[in-house]
């Protein structure tokens, strides 16, 4: 494979990875911004209870 083609494919792949990372960063920041802007009533803690079989904590039913 000619070196120029390898370099071009590497640059294309790097650009694609950067684009995915930027999109994910913007998505996460938007979610964090919504959380910061939420009123205290919207940020109520969900009561959890421990599942005796698995030991996992799950939202309390009812």
């Amino acid at each position: 494979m000619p070196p120029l083609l390898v370099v071009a494919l590497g640059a294309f792949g790097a650009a694609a990875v950067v684009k995915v990372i930027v999109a994910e960063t913007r998505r996460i920041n938007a979610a964090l911004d919504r959380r910061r802007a939420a009123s205290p009533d919207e940020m109520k803690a969900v009561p959890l209870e421990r599942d005796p079989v698995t030991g996992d904590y799950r939202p309390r039913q009812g």
Side-chain angles (χ1 to χ4, degrees), residues 5-45:
L5 184 59
V6 172
V7 171
L9 287 174
F12 180 73
V17 169
V18 167
K19 187 172 182 175
V20 169
I21 290 172
V22 167
E24 187 67 11
T25 302
R26 287 182 179 161
R27 183 189 67 80
I28 291 170
N29 282 335
L32 289 172
D33 289 342
R34 284 192 306 271
R35 179 75 177 184
R36 285 186 197 113
S39 69
D41 292 338
E42 294 173 358
M43 296 188 344
K44 288 187 214 172

